[in-house]
Amino acid sequence: MFHIVYNLYPFSEGFFLPSANIVQIDKGGEYSHIIQRALPTTISAYQIEQTAIVERLFQLIDLLGVKQLETKFKPPKAKVNTPLDKLLADTETKKVIESYVFRNLDLFLSEIAQNRLPLTLDAEKKTLAKDVLIHFPKEDLLPHLYFNKSDTGIEYRLQLGTETEKWNIREHQVVPLTNTDPAWILVAYALFRVVGINGNMVKPFRQKDSVIIPLDKEKIYFRQFIAKSISRSRVEAEGFQVLKADTLRSTRLEIIENILEKSWLLRPVFEYDGATFQYGDRRERITSIDIPETDDREITVHLISRNADLENTRMEYLVAKGLTDTDRLFSLTETIGDQPAQYTGLYELIQWAALHAQDLETSGFKMVSPEVDGKNIALLAGSITVNTEAAGDWFDVRGNITVGEHQFSFLRLLPNLRSGNPFFLLPDGHFFMIPSEWFTRYADLATSLQVDGEQMRLPKALFTLLQAVEPEAVAEQLPLIDPEKIDYTPSENLVATLRPYQLTGTKWLIGHYQQGLGACLADDMGLGKTLQTIALLLYAKEQEKTLSEGLISDSGAQMDIFQAHREALKPLTALIILPASLVFNWQRELSRFAPSLFVYAHVGPKRLKDARALSSHDVILTTYHTARQDLSLLEQVDWHFIILDESQQIKNRDSEISKVVRGLRSARRISLSGTPIENSLADLWTQMEFINPATLGTYPAFKEQFQVPIERHQDERAKARLYARVKPFFLRRTKEEVAPDLPALSQQIFYTEMAADQRKRYEQLKSAVRNEILSLFDDPKTRLQALQALMRLRQLANHPLLTDADYTGESGKLNDVMAQWDVIQRAGHKVLFFSSFEQHLQIYRRIFEAQKIPYAWLSGDTATKDRAAAVERFQEDVTVQAFFITMKAGGIGLNLTASDYVFVLDPWWNPAVEDQAIARAHRIGQTRPVTALRYIARDTIEEKIIQLQERKRLLGKDLFGAASEFPTLDRDDLEMLLG
């Protein structure tokens, strides 16, 4: 391993500059050899990340580089840079350069010390870094000043030490690094930041223990050299006029941040005349010196003694008010908010101060307003009220905020809640600290509100955001959909008996229909989403008919008998958009379960071209491809329903079909999908944008608030917020939950060994294309070529014939599949053969034809009428025991319960697609146990795809049990696949 180790090197006597090295870590975990200089351009080769801290330190090192200093301080008229050592030889120039260097070195060392980063002193390549490593002592170094006034002058000593000990500077290796106050000094290899002195004050005492100040120079010396540091140093003085004091004037309470623990605490400071003591300070008294501004007054020494009894009484008061004493700092016993935030505990302390303000003042305390990021925070608590009222498809939202004596509209708070900024500017210039609880409760609402002037509105579909604000009012205005409370009896026109879970699903859909909300039925494949949707359509048809009859009878207008007839028989006009492979299935199901509905399949070259003719039907079936072609026709109709089957077809929000479908007008929208999330959370956004537009905001906002935090950072809070927002609109049931009567499904992976010649070809191709794939993948313009190269490896793992038509050798996978097929078909079972590659199935097809074995065939080229015939032949003809199906052509919509074995010949990127294929056999209507075998060539990319499937499917599983359809690979994924 390698780390960046920062370094200080002496450019000249007492003049240090920073640098950085890449250092190797030895087996014992210690810093050893210096490899090379650390620069932004060199660290990546050693897998060292350039964090924000590293970037800041590199900038400071660059500012203090010799060449940069020479350029910056070059004489105005000089044509070339003057060497730095010559610049420092000039007294006036040296002062300017030192001032600049010391200021930036102070920033550099502060960053190093705060983050405990490794720092060496004058490290060279020939030395081991651990031998010159600087350490950071836990205890601070304090300055001790001693003055003894006599007739001959004032003896002045500066010593360093702790509260109880002190030592002479001359006796230790003390090196001042900066002339700033506080000063940075080295004591041997220990780095200290000493508050109260600057570096120049140390220098005289490196050679002698004391300095004599002539009496006639005492006031000038004290004003110039001592005055700034006197109040922050430990002082002893003799020979001066002494004034004694012991009155505790007030107890100041300062709100400070514990950076390491990310919390806020109260620090008590006892204020006496001329001195202050922090709680826990072990000094019983302190000496301070009053240095007059004019020469007509004498320097006076103040001796302040502490009142320990009164101080203890004050601390007991704080405990009685609900604070806890922790290491001489106070925290609240119980925080008011329960959500972590950037300023955990700060608002709670402010609220505590506001609550006890009067008592604190009368009890001798003085609260100090904290300053955060340069902002003065008001010691005021706040309250918030938000009210809502349903108005059509919207909720009108109003709210008021009270902070102390200030009042303003909830509208004023929206920018802060949306941006996460906790600092709200008050009219008096102070800032109100918005509590974390408000962000937890109102941030999602604020982000989703649509503002028009002073009016705030929220789409009805976002009612879940109001449940945390006004749960009772929302429940009254828009009750939660509970299927158990939906009054529904299946229509007499429904020629089917709904299973209990199907009845629940139908009621759930009806609840959304009644409230005018879209919904996604996301049941497992094979649980009857089609039947539940048909039951909903029959319900809606009868509701519309009842409504039409009521309008006719209640109308005062005279209607002719034909108009009344038309109104009474008003078509439902439900548009169902689905893959071409499912048109036949829907026609058959509608004809079987709902013969009373007037159904039209809008497909083929002879389809209708008149919108009025279309709108005279109850149900119109069309494909995604036809919908895109006939957009101008379909958008002329105000659809009562638009239903998408296999709605993951619109997952690409930028695709033309996705935009077409989302743009059609409809009073109600339903989507059906067993895998609402296939590729990423972007799929979920598109689903919601179809069924209930604006529920998840714009895509950029959705990506920032949910997709990136969840997918990249596994943000559980973001995941919970997203789930709460979409949960009311998705109903997801698995076979295990609702169909325990389904026969068992046995799944296993069958590992095959490649034939010798096949393996040789595979390894040759892998070696040849590995680097090619990686290089092509890094360029977005050639990424598709990289995926095509990956596909060649997948094909070769199946059979070399897929990459070389002249191959005459064997395939290990083919031999194993045919051997198992022979056993299974002899036992009388039927088998579905699925593959991603039609060419792969063609190999098996040729073998079957050569051996005169009957089979059924379905691929993307199979015509619609031939699809139905192939399905019927396989289901009804006992001699047809094999059905060859390409994954994309037959993975959805087919009922193939005659089979009880499924062979998945090669893995697909998305395991959900494989699950859908298996569900062709394992579905309602199956009476026998089903066995699914996945064939994987050992030691090939297929094994790695299985690993990738498991990794990629976790995200979808968390929400709806889906996974990734196409390889959204990153560089790490690719290297794993080729490893």
Side-chain angles (χ1 to χ4, degrees), residues 775-786 788:
S775 62
L776 290 172
F777 185 82
D778 288 335
D779 185 349
K781 295 178 182 177
T782 57
R783 191 160 293 171
L784 181 59
Q785 293 173 249
Q788 289 170 341

Side-chain angles (χ1 to χ4, degrees), residues 531-544:
L531 176 56
Q532 295 172 71
T533 306
I534 291 172
L536 167 68
L537 293 176
L538 283 171
Y539 172 84
K541 170 73 174 177
E542 293 170 2
Q543 292 296 308
E544 293 301 312

Side-chain angles (χ1 to χ4, degrees), residues 332-351:
L332 283 173
T333 305
E334 295 182 3
T335 56
I336 297 169
D338 62 350
Q339 296 293 333
Q342 183 182 3
Y343 298 99
T344 302
L346 177 54
Y347 179 77
E348 287 78 8
L349 283 175
I350 292 172
Q351 198 169 20

Side-chain angles (χ1 to χ4, degrees), residues 1-8 19-26 29-36 117-136 189:
M1 290 180 62
F2 302 91
H3 280 187
I4 298 175
V5 176
Y6 300 93
N7 182 58
L8 287 175
S19 62
N21 297 307
I22 296 172
V23 175
Q24 189 171 11
I25 309 298
D26 65 19
E30 294 189 290
Y31 299 103
S32 58
H33 297 286
I34 296 173
I35 304 302
Q36 69 176 91
L117 301 175
L119 179 68
T120 54
L121 180 62
D122 200 17
E124 298 177 350
K125 274 206 168 185
K126 60 186 178 182
T127 60
L128 295 178
K130 63 182 179 182
D131 293 337
V132 289
L133 201 63
I134 292 172
H135 64 276
F136 307 95
Y189 279 91

Side-chain angles (χ1 to χ4, degrees), residues 323-378:
L323 299 181
T324 301
D325 184 348
T326 306
D327 294 331
R328 307 302 182 179
L329 296 171
F330 285 86
S331 61
L332 283 173
T333 305
E334 295 182 3
T335 56
I336 297 169
D338 62 350
Q339 296 293 333
Q342 183 182 3
Y343 298 99
T344 302
L346 177 54
Y347 179 77
E348 287 78 8
L349 283 175
I350 292 172
Q351 198 169 20
W352 177 87
L355 179 65
H356 299 288
Q358 188 63 44
D359 285 347
L360 286 169
E361 186 176 346
T362 56
S363 300
F365 290 90
K366 180 171 64 177
M367 282 295 306
V368 179
S369 297
E371 188 173 289
V372 180
D373 295 344
K375 300 175 179 66
N376 198 293
I377 308 301

Side-chain angles (χ1 to χ4, degrees), residues 677-927:
I677 302 176
E678 283 199 337
N679 190 28
S680 75
L681 285 180
D683 303 348
L684 180 61
W685 180 87
T686 314
Q687 292 273 348
M688 285 301 302
E689 192 66 8
F690 167 70
I691 61 176
N692 289 310
T695 305
L696 296 179
T698 65
Y699 178 69
F702 169 78
K703 186 176 181 180
E704 179 183 351
Q705 294 178 43
F706 298 108
Q707 187 177 353
V708 171
I710 294 172
E711 291 185 351
R712 293 188 186 175
H713 309 300
Q714 293 75 52
D715 187 329
E716 293 299 325
R717 291 182 63 202
K719 189 183 295 182
R721 287 169 46 231
L722 176 60
Y723 182 68
R725 190 177 293 196
V726 303
K727 180 183 177 183
F729 310 111
F730 285 81
L731 182 61
R732 168 74 171 164
R733 279 90 57 88
T734 65
K735 292 175 183 176
E736 292 76 16
E737 291 175 58
V738 299
D741 52 336
L742 263 180
L745 170 63
S746 172
Q747 300 189 64
Q748 68 182 76
I749 294 177
F750 187 93
Y751 289 99
T752 71
E753 297 288 348
M754 287 190 287
D757 192 27
Q758 180 184 15
R759 177 168 296 284
K760 181 179 179 181
R761 287 176 176 239
Y762 182 89
E763 293 300 334
Q764 287 174 342
L765 179 62
K766 178 181 170 184
S767 298
V769 302
R770 185 183 190 281
N771 292 334
E772 175 192 356
I773 290 173
L774 292 171
S775 62
L776 290 172
F777 185 82
D778 288 335
D779 185 349
K781 295 178 182 177
T782 57
R783 191 160 293 171
L784 181 59
Q785 293 173 249
L787 294 176
Q788 289 170 341
L790 278 180
M791 184 176 71
R792 296 204 302 274
L793 286 173
R794 294 177 60 214
Q795 291 174 324
L796 193 50
N798 284 321
H799 201 302
L801 275 173
L802 298 180
T803 61
D804 180 4
D806 297 327
Y807 179 75
T808 57
E810 294 185 332
S811 160
K813 181 179 290 190
L814 176 67
N815 293 340
D816 289 337
V817 171
M818 291 305 298
Q820 291 192 326
W821 152 255
D822 186 60
V823 173
I824 290 170
Q825 63 92 17
R826 288 175 185 276
H829 298 284
K830 291 197 174 194
V831 182
L832 304 180
F833 291 76
F834 280 100
S835 175
S836 309
F837 305 103
E838 183 177 345
Q839 287 176 284
H840 192 194
L841 294 177
Q842 292 284 7
I843 296 173
Y844 290 87
R845 183 182 196 174
R846 290 194 291 270
I847 294 173
F848 272 56
E849 289 177 345
Q851 298 179 8
K852 301 188 182 311
I853 303 173
Y855 66 88
W857 178 269
L858 182 59
S859 70
D861 296 330
T862 307
T864 303
K865 60 182 180 63
D866 295 332
R867 290 173 60 90
V871 170
E872 185 174 353
R873 181 165 175 253
F874 179 74
Q875 288 286 95
E876 304 296 335
D877 190 339
V878 295
T879 67
V880 180
Q881 293 177 259
F883 201 159
F884 297 108
I885 310 173
T886 58
M887 196 75 77
K888 289 234 170 177
I892 54 176
L894 298 179
N895 189 335
L896 301 172
T897 51
S899 59
D900 55 348
Y901 276 84
V902 181
F903 287 2
V904 180
L905 300 181
D906 41 69
W908 185 235
W909 302 104
N910 176 11
V913 172
E914 295 178 12
D915 293 341
Q916 287 177 325
I918 295 168
R920 300 312 100 215
H922 190 247
R923 61 193 298 109
I924 300 300
Q926 179 61 266
T927 58

Side-chain angles (χ1 to χ4, degrees), residues 159-214:
Q159 296 174 305
L160 299 174
T162 64
E163 286 284 6
T164 56
E165 296 180 357
K166 53 191 174 182
W167 40 264
N168 291 327
I169 293 171
R170 180 179 56 82
E171 298 169 357
H172 295 72
Q173 299 176 26
V174 178
V175 179
L177 298 175
T178 68
N179 193 33
T180 54
D181 180 3
W184 288 97
I185 67 170
L186 279 174
V187 181
Y189 279 91
L191 179 66
F192 294 94
R193 183 174 182 266
V194 186
V195 177
I197 62 171
N198 59 54
N200 282 344
M201 292 177 66
V202 174
K203 291 179 180 179
F205 300 96
R206 296 175 68 191
Q207 286 81 36
K208 49 189 175 182
D209 293 337
S210 64
V211 172
I212 301 300
I213 305 170

